[in-house]
Amino acid sequence: MSTTSTSSAAATPTFASGGLVMSPPPSRSASFAGRYKQRINTSVPSSAVTPPSAVSLSSGSASPGQLSPRMLPHDTTNTSVQPSPDGPRGRMQPQLPGPLSPFQLPEAAVPPHHSAMSDALALSKAPGLMRRLSRGAANKLSRRRTSSSNVNRRDHSSGPVITRGRSDSYGTLENGHEPDAYDDEHAVESTDGLTGMDGIRDGPPSPSRGSAGSVPTAGIGPVVPSALQAGTTLTKVTRKKRKTLRFVLDVDSAKVSWDPAKPSKRFYIDDIREIRVGADARNYREEFQVPAEFESRWFTVLYADEARTKARPVKTMHLIAPDEHTFISWTTTLEIVSRYRIGMMAGLAAHSDVSIKAHWLREMARLFAGQARTEEDERLDFDGIESLCRSLHINCSRNHLRTQFTLADRARTGSLDFAGFKDFIRRLKDRQDLRLIYRAAASDEEGGLDRIDFVTFLAETQGVDVGSDPAHWDSVFEKYARRSKAKRSAPSDGDRDGARPARIRFDSFAAFLTSTFNPALRGASRSERLERPLNEYFISSSHNTYLLGRQVAGESSTEAYIRALRRGCRCVEVDCWDGADGRPVVNHGRTLTSKVLFSDCIAAIGKYAFLSTPYPLIISLEVHCNPEQQVVMADILKTQLGDRLLLEPLMTNSLVLPSPEELKYRILIKVKSAEDGDESSWVSDLPAHRRQRSVSTPQPLVPDVPTLTGGPLVTSPGSACSSRAPASTWSTGTTRGLITGGTATSASSATDDSDAKEGPDRRKKRKPSKIARPLGDLGVYTRGHKYTNFALPESKSYNHVFSFAERTIESLCRDADLKAQLDKHNMRYLMRVYPSGFRINSSNFDPNKFWRRGVQMAALNWQTYDLGMQMNDAMFASGVDRTGFVLKPKELRQTHRNGPGAAPPKEKRLVTFSIEMISAQQLPRPRGMNSDRSLDPYVVVEFFCADDKAKGAATGEGGLDASARNGMSGIGSPHRRRTMIVQGNGYNPIFNDRFTLSLETKFPDLIFVRWTVYNSADGRSYGDKNALLATYTAKLSSLQDGYRHLPLFDSRGERFLFSTLFCRIARGDAVSVDRVEDMQSGKVKALKQFGRSLFNNPRSSPSTVSSTQRKSSQDDK
């Protein structure tokens, strides 16, 4: 392999008119290099503002579709083109090897299914030679299949479809508002500066070049160093070796590759989550034992793993640049191109004229390949327009595109110039559903909404309390009124003196409804404070936080902690084991998972602990180390966490837990006290399935846990099985171990420190392994104790924490007295529940089961985005809930008027609400779908509550009923409604279905709603085999009334960039069921009495009738 010299490889990216432009390397500058020695984050969160610069031209990738020559003569030396069987198309795609299929969304379908049984059987045998060979062959075949199809689709995407920042839609600023994702207020004024753009070209660095992470200004595209396109040498570092390779940046397909012979040896810029440099990547450098002198040239790229190797969502690549200029070139260019492509797609979604122009000019640059052209030459026929639409992820049917093309081709020439293309895009994006709302809100449809119209619409239709922040809403009105004024082609005579009142016209009104100023979830109030004791909050919690993928053979990594903390997790788990060199390690004990140093995990936790929220973080330690290494753990915690680690109570004379406000920026350690024995001191003489386990314990062959109904999006391999493993599956003493042959399964990694014993005569106790005092003393407000019963003194200490496996707490709740004691306990003290050890597929329980019991920490497997995790995300999604702390409902908290420890009565209440399912926008295509197939979408809406199953508890109207046939609803059986199927339209399907629901529940604050979009396989039928496209889950109490656009997520929990559902939501107040029944019975009784008096019934006197009518009238009032 040839190499380039380091001097020629160092070119610095800059900006110039002309899109992505190559520039020669500038002279070295120590001060210039120093500006980039910080962490470079390419993830753009939902709250980020994409400036007008994002719409400047990129060289971009070719659009998908079959290749054909362009309408004008072309230079055959510059391209390799196959004739299209459909006839000529109005575009040329140079340097592409053959027919290409449209880009398809990478994460719209559930991954291939693996059963829990097959996973366990694979682990129960020693990894012999034949097994290793077959496994390696399977992996190679899998990689080959991925590279042969998906790679080509990705090569022709014009930009990302997934938001690679924080994986949720719930971003709101402190006051509950956010700026627009794309603001083209100034970009709409002129596009003349873009007319000379013709893609990538050489050019000198622009003096207006921004710093790393900035995006070019309007009409300016990022300059890509020519050296990166030619290829530079970088050293790739792995655990086993270091290898110098040539890395090439392909700007057309926006990917980086390092082995042209293997298409799988690449990653796409659109998949990059983050680039870490300097101190932020130090833990990796030290882990791989690379000297500190390389830190200034080391960078780590984190990118989404489309193939989900080993069930992990993210891959890491560690690289060392040969010199500082090459380091700067790669890190800044990847950053800038990533943000640029996001801006291009966001601008198109926001109907920006500049973005539309930029996409057109980029297509013309590729079409003419540097040849001279005039504006009259720039035209595309229908095939070219269709191919361009596919690259822009516009998934309309061919017939619909043809109709809009014909309407835009007013001259009937069979092709479109830029004006025609702009009209074509406008027609595609026209929202008739929004026009109806606009007409109803505007007093003057032609002129638009004035200030009074806008405020009235907010207050009466959207349910907004405008009076709480009038200045904010006044600024929002001014913003969109200015936008409307800028969009007008020429001022009218009455507007030249500026005397005409400001108004919001339709385009700006539509932009407001789709913006983050109109979020689906309520925002936070500045006055909201978390001042109640810690035990009165639900706390966002994680189980086996260190795992990126599978439970028994996945990767342990600090990245898992970083990801969880960025998503707002407030309780992380660390499983600690003895390290061979005296340094404690973290991994899934006695499994095939990899190990990571305890010190590295604590360093990552300390660095990211308060990135998303300032409120306290709990580190739950599962300790399996010897006393010497426990002392090392205590020293690491104190050294790494410093003053943030809480070492003593805030108040020495208080027997009440402090509030989250008082614990801001403090880290609490959950660990057993030094006096208590380790949970591993119990050894069973029974079959292992009789004892509760953590997932960190080696697992049985068949899980014995209930599965969540409602079609959860499970992304990890395997599925839970509801059947119990037979006793013959397990044996004692001589049973072959699950991991290596001849080794008996041990419970030493279990976290059942609070699990109830199944009988003293059924277990024997061995010498306990005690927690070292230096470590045990760190448990100040979160001290772990083993549960025996709720009457013992340790069950009443204010700072104790009980931890239960899910099945143990379920068994406790079968006894009415124990259930009452459990509810009473959780009003004053902390409790944690973790998934059963039988969940070897990393599935999750329904957290509502335990939230209704007042459990504060329902710890879930965050690597699995199934129904349980979706509900957890929804619980901590809106307003102050995003802090990771949600105040429990009144009925689950201690109240003084009921006396100390008394549980307030849980009366049933009637909750009514309606959802008008109006439309969807730009739905993703499922993986593997043929390019000539159109989408046939429908939506299933599910309602989850926290009550036990009961017949008739939930009733609904509208759409099609998809609930259980027996009429049961409650835990494990949601009420379901679904829309009709819209055939042949995945771009802007109109559903217009209205669902109304009445639900009797004791827990109105624990109602969740999930929207799931499916694609009908044949366009006519509903079925389990239909492809899942996207989903969204919300807590009912968090939703706002009115017209709202709901964001959509893929099966990994990644948010789609521009796919949404448009709904109107109306929520009623929860009222007592007893009151409703009294009102209804009173009305019935009054009618009967009135009938008797009417017909002179001798059994009733006039005075009695009159009295009854008066009572009924009072009840009605």
Side-chain angles (χ1 to χ4, degrees):
M1 180 181 294
S2 61
T3 60
T4 56
S5 64
T6 56
S7 60
S8 64
T12 304
T14 185
F15 311 129
S17 180
L20 295 168
V21 186
M22 301 181 297
S23 67
S27 60
R28 296 189 178 187
S29 169
S31 60
F32 171 75
R35 291 200 302 267
Y36 302 102
K37 291 184 179 179
Q38 70 267 8
R39 176 171 151 274
I40 301 173
N41 188 345
T42 64
S43 301
V44 180
S46 58
S47 61
V49 179
T50 305
S53 59
V55 298
S56 57
L57 182 64
S58 155
S59 66
S61 61
S63 297
Q66 291 178 319
L67 302 177
S68 60
R70 60 185 174 90
M71 297 174 62
L72 300 175
H74 59 275
D75 184 1
T76 57
T77 62
N78 292 333
T79 181
S80 171
V81 179
Q82 284 188 352
S84 169
D86 302 339
R89 295 188 179 185
R91 51 187 279 127
M92 179 183 68
Q93 299 172 322
Q95 306 296 335
L96 295 176
L100 300 170
S101 57
F103 171 76
Q104 299 173 0
L105 294 182
E107 295 304 330
V110 178
H113 175 79
H114 302 282
S115 69
M117 174 69 81
S118 63
D119 285 348
L121 287 174
L123 290 168
S124 66
K125 299 180 180 180
L129 176 61
M130 294 304 297
R131 182 171 299 278
R132 291 197 300 269
L133 290 175
S134 62
R135 186 184 301 147
N139 289 339
K140 290 182 179 180
L141 289 174
S142 175
R143 288 195 298 268
R144 193 172 298 124
R145 285 194 299 269
T146 299
S147 63
S148 63
S149 56
N150 292 337
V151 173
N152 284 342
R153 299 189 189 106
R154 295 296 306 273
D155 284 351
H156 307 289
S157 167
S158 295
V161 295
I162 294 292
T163 302
R164 292 298 177 189
R166 174 174 171 147
S167 301
D168 59 35
S169 67
Y170 315 114
T172 53
L173 300 181
E174 186 177 354
N175 62 352
H177 309 299
E178 276 190 347
D180 285 308
Y182 181 82
D183 183 2
D184 63 342
E185 180 180 330
H186 304 290
V188 296
E189 297 177 1
S190 174
T191 58
D192 294 340
L194 294 173
T195 55
M197 288 184 169
D198 49 3
I200 300 176
R201 61 180 177 82
D202 292 310
S206 170
S208 63
R209 181 185 185 278
S211 61
S214 63
V215 184
T217 56
I220 305 298
V223 177
V224 175
S226 56
L228 302 191
Q229 299 178 76
T232 70
T233 56
L234 298 172
T235 302
K236 186 173 180 285
V237 182
T238 64
R239 294 181 186 274
K240 297 181 179 180
K241 60 183 178 181
R242 304 178 195 177
K243 189 174 183 180
T244 300
L245 302 168
R246 175 182 293 277
F247 284 76
V248 178
L249 173 59
D250 184 344
V251 182
D252 285 336
S253 57
K255 68 180 178 182
V256 176
S257 58
W258 53 95
D259 189 345
K262 297 180 179 179
S264 61
K265 301 297 184 180
R266 52 88 183 112
F267 64 83
Y268 289 90
I269 294 179
D270 293 339
D271 288 341
I272 295 178
R273 289 177 177 270
E274 186 179 353
I275 301 173
R276 296 207 187 121
V277 300
D280 289 302
R282 183 175 299 159
N283 62 311
Y284 284 118
R285 180 184 58 75
E286 293 176 347
E287 180 181 351
F288 297 143
Q289 300 180 356
V290 175
E293 63 188 83
F294 292 97
E295 182 167 298
S296 63
R297 293 180 280 122
W298 173 292
F299 62 104
T300 296
V301 181
L302 288 81
Y303 59 95
D305 182 7
E306 181 182 355
R308 204 171 177 86
T309 307
K310 297 183 180 179
R312 59 186 177 188
V314 179
K315 280 187 174 181
T316 56
M317 176 173 289
H318 312 287
L319 301 169
I320 301 176
D323 57 75
E324 201 164 286
H325 280 286
T326 305
F327 167 82
I328 295 172
S329 295
W330 274 108
T331 54
T332 56
T333 300
L334 292 177
E335 158 75 5
I336 293 169
V337 173
S338 174
R339 291 185 178 273
Y340 167 76
R341 288 173 63 85
I342 292 172
M344 287 284 286
M345 298 306 296
L348 185 66
H351 305 183
S352 163
D353 291 343
V354 171
S355 183
I356 296 172
K357 181 72 172 179
H359 282 291
W360 172 266
L361 292 177
R362 187 191 61 183
E363 191 66 20
M364 291 301 105
R366 184 164 43 250
L367 179 65
F368 285 89
Q371 299 180 22
R373 66 183 189 275
T374 63
E375 189 171 340
E376 288 74 19
D377 295 332
E378 296 179 347
R379 305 186 70 87
L380 287 176
D381 64 5
F382 174 73
D383 290 332
I385 291 289
E386 181 185 24
S387 186
L388 177 57
C389 286
R390 300 307 182 203
S391 74
L392 297 174
H393 317 303
I394 298 176
N395 298 318
C396 291
S397 67
R398 184 180 177 88
N399 289 339
H400 184 67
L401 290 177
R402 173 70 74 178
T403 299
Q404 302 306 318
F405 179 88
T406 301
L407 292 174
D409 182 19
R410 300 180 181 180
R412 300 295 184 266
T413 61
S415 62
L416 299 180
D417 57 8
F418 173 68
F421 175 70
K422 183 177 176 181
D423 184 43
F424 171 80
I425 294 294
R426 293 293 183 189
R427 291 178 181 276
L428 276 180
K429 292 185 172 293
D430 186 37
R431 296 283 303 275
Q432 291 297 325
D433 51 348
L434 298 186
R435 286 191 180 276
L436 296 176
I437 303 171
Y438 171 76
R439 291 167 186 163
S443 57
D444 179 1
E445 182 180 343
E446 181 65 25
L449 280 74
D450 60 17
R451 197 179 303 270
I452 296 177
D453 292 336
F454 183 66
V455 171
T456 302
F457 172 75
L458 291 175
E460 297 182 358
T461 304
Q462 301 298 89
V464 175
D465 183 9
V466 181
S468 63
D469 195 354
H472 164 74
W473 292 111
D474 188 68
S475 66
V476 172
F477 175 80
E478 293 292 341
K479 171 186 175 67
Y480 287 95
R482 289 195 304 271
R483 191 180 189 274
S484 294
K485 185 175 181 180
K487 289 262 184 194
R488 291 203 298 269
S489 56
S492 61
D493 294 338
D495 193 36
R496 294 185 185 278
D497 57 358
R500 184 175 179 177
R503 289 181 177 268
I504 296 178
R505 303 180 73 183
F506 172 71
D507 286 345
S508 296
F509 180 75
F512 165 75
L513 286 180
T514 57
S515 76
T516 50
F517 288 109
N518 186 48
L521 303 181
R522 60 178 175 82
S525 170
R526 294 183 185 272
S527 61
E528 289 185 87
R529 293 175 61 85
L530 308 182
E531 297 179 331
R532 301 297 301 167
L534 199 63
N535 54 281
E536 295 192 16
Y537 292 89
F538 295 127
I539 303 173
S540 180
S541 305
S542 168
H543 172 252
N544 285 357
T545 315
Y546 49 87
L547 287 178
L548 282 174
R550 297 191 297 257
Q551 290 288 321
V552 293
E555 179 181 357
S556 303
S557 173
T558 57
E559 289 303 325
Y561 288 103
I562 295 171
R563 187 177 186 221
L565 292 170
R566 282 181 164 174
R567 294 171 64 187
C569 183
R570 293 292 84 195
C571 179
V572 297
E573 184 177 21
V574 184
D575 292 355
C576 314
W577 296 80
D578 289 331
D581 56 356
R583 295 188 295 172
V585 296
V586 175
N587 80 317
H588 210 187
R590 293 182 173 85
T591 65
L592 299 180
T593 56
S594 61
K595 299 177 181 179
V596 61
L597 287 175
F598 176 78
S599 58
D600 288 345
C601 293
I602 299 304
I605 292 172
K607 183 176 295 183
Y608 293 90
F610 304 107
L611 185 68
S612 63
T613 169
Y615 290 97
L617 173 69
I618 301 172
I619 300 177
S620 179
L621 296 181
E622 182 181 327
V623 182
H624 307 284
C625 297
N626 60 42
E628 291 76 14
Q629 294 204 21
Q630 290 183 36
V631 174
V632 174
M633 289 173 55
D635 290 339
I636 290 173
L637 288 167
K638 293 177 182 179
T639 303
Q640 296 279 9
L641 303 180
D643 294 339
R644 293 170 299 175
L645 180 63
L646 191 69
L647 298 176
E648 58 186 17
L650 300 180
M651 297 180 63
T652 57
N653 59 346
S654 175
L655 296 180
V656 178
L657 289 174
S659 69
E661 288 288 345
E662 295 171 317
L663 291 170
K664 270 188 173 181
Y665 299 106
R666 304 307 294 267
I667 297 177
L668 311 180
I669 303 299
K670 176 189 169 294
V671 64
K672 295 176 68 177
S673 61
E675 292 77 17
D676 288 344
D678 184 71
E679 60 269 15
S680 62
S681 61
W682 294 100
V683 179
S684 175
D685 279 338
L686 297 175
H689 71 275
R690 299 292 298 274
R691 187 177 68 252
Q692 296 301 301
R693 302 164 176 261
S694 162
V695 184
S696 58
T697 307
Q699 309 301 338
L701 301 184
V702 181
D704 181 21
V705 290
T707 57
L708 294 182
T709 60
L713 296 172
V714 180
T715 60
S716 63
S719 62
C721 178
S722 60
S723 61
R724 179 178 292 274
S728 59
T729 302
W730 297 90
S731 62
T732 60
T734 59
T735 302
R736 175 177 293 184
L738 290 178
I739 305 305
T740 58
T743 303
T745 300
S746 169
S748 62
S749 62
T751 57
D752 54 352
D753 51 295
S754 292
D755 285 342
K757 300 179 184 179
E758 297 190 14
D761 58 332
R762 307 181 72 89
R763 298 189 177 203
K764 64 180 181 180
K765 188 176 181 181
R766 69 181 181 185
K767 186 176 180 180
S769 172
K770 293 187 177 182
I771 299 296
R773 183 166 294 277
L775 184 60
D777 287 347
L778 298 181
V780 179
Y781 288 122
T782 49
R783 179 163 296 180
H785 286 275
K786 187 174 184 66
Y787 167 77
T788 302
N789 62 59
F790 292 112
L792 293 179
E794 60 263 25
S795 299
K796 302 182 186 302
S797 60
Y798 80 104
N799 63 345
H800 81 273
V801 182
F802 283 155
S803 292
F804 289 97
E806 59 171 301
R807 295 203 304 163
T808 301
I809 199 170
E810 287 173 352
S811 67
L812 289 177
C813 291
R814 295 189 186 103
D815 183 284
D817 291 338
L818 286 177
K819 182 169 69 172
Q821 293 178 42
L822 178 72
D823 291 351
K824 181 178 177 180
H825 171 276
N826 291 340
M827 289 186 177
R828 298 192 63 184
Y829 312 112
L830 292 174
M831 182 174 288
R832 179 176 180 266
V833 176
Y834 54 86
S836 167
F838 294 97
R839 292 184 181 272
I840 59 175
N841 62 346
S842 299
S843 62
N844 287 302
F845 51 68
D846 184 343
N848 252 350
K849 283 185 180 180
F850 309 109
W851 286 333
R852 67 175 179 170
R853 301 270 73 91
V855 174
Q856 293 85 0
M857 292 173 279
L860 300 177
N861 294 312
W862 282 46
Q863 67 269 39
T864 304
Y865 191 67
D866 56 6
L867 174 60
M869 196 60 215
Q870 293 167 31
M871 294 174 68
N872 189 80
D873 281 351
M875 169 63 83
F876 301 95
S878 68
V880 72
D881 297 348
R882 287 176 56 82
T883 61
F885 292 86
V886 173
L887 187 65
K888 295 196 290 186
K890 290 182 179 180
E891 60 268 19
L892 299 179
R893 291 187 280 130
Q894 171 69 46
T895 55
H896 296 293
R897 60 191 178 91
N898 292 309
K906 299 183 181 70
E907 62 175 356
K908 278 195 173 183
R909 279 172 281 180
L910 181 66
V911 178
T912 59
F913 55 95
S914 66
I915 297 175
E916 186 177 348
M917 191 62 249
I918 301 173
S919 62
Q921 292 73 46
Q922 287 192 255
L923 294 176
R925 292 175 66 86
R927 181 184 296 177
M929 188 175 184
N930 293 333
S931 59
D932 57 348
R933 288 273 325 265
S934 58
L935 293 177
D936 303 307
Y938 64 94
V939 181
V940 176
V941 185
E942 298 167 287
F943 308 94
F944 300 89
C945 68
D947 300 86
D948 291 326
K949 289 183 184 179
K951 191 169 185 178
T955 58
E957 296 179 355
L960 302 173
D961 190 355
S963 305
R965 294 184 178 180
N966 59 9
M968 302 288 284
S969 61
I971 289 284
S973 183
H975 184 83
R976 293 189 185 93
R977 317 294 296 187
R978 63 188 175 203
T979 69
M980 63 177 182
I981 298 172
V982 178
Q983 296 183 344
N985 188 356
Y987 183 71
N988 55 357
I990 302 295
F991 301 105
N992 278 339
D993 272 325
R994 180 185 176 88
F995 308 126
T996 60
L997 185 76
S998 296
L999 177 65
E1000 293 183 6
T1001 177
K1002 295 179 181 179
F1003 310 96
D1005 292 322
L1006 296 180
I1007 299 175
F1008 294 83
V1009 186
R1010 180 169 74 164
W1011 290 260
T1012 309
V1013 187
Y1014 293 94
N1015 180 57
S1016 177
D1018 56 8
R1020 298 181 302 276
S1021 61
Y1022 307 91
D1024 296 336
K1025 294 184 179 180
N1026 287 336
L1028 186 148
L1029 302 181
T1031 187
Y1032 177 71
T1033 306
K1035 186 168 57 175
L1036 181 63
S1037 59
S1038 298
L1039 287 168
Q1040 297 199 95
D1041 288 347
Y1043 294 100
R1044 308 288 174 176
H1045 284 85
L1046 310 180
L1048 291 175
F1049 295 79
D1050 68 4
S1051 59
R1052 297 180 185 178
E1054 300 281 0
R1055 180 182 173 181
F1056 289 110
L1057 189 60
F1058 34 60
S1059 299
T1060 58
L1061 292 176
F1062 185 49
C1063 304
R1064 185 176 187 180
I1065 299 166
R1067 299 176 300 128
D1069 295 330
V1071 297
S1072 171
V1073 171
D1074 294 335
R1075 181 185 173 191
V1076 174
E1077 292 175 350
D1078 290 343
M1079 293 173 60
Q1080 292 175 345
S1081 62
K1083 291 179 181 179
V1084 172
K1085 186 176 181 180
L1087 288 173
K1088 289 182 178 179
Q1089 294 286 5
F1090 179 75
R1092 290 170 185 169
S1093 65
L1094 183 65
F1095 293 102
N1096 297 318
N1097 192 319
R1099 290 177 297 174
S1100 175
S1101 64
S1103 61
T1104 304
V1105 174
S1106 177
S1107 175
T1108 303
Q1109 288 175 337
R1110 285 195 298 271
K1111 185 178 186 301
S1112 175
S1113 177
Q1114 292 173 357
D1115 289 342
D1116 290 343
K1117 291 179 181 178

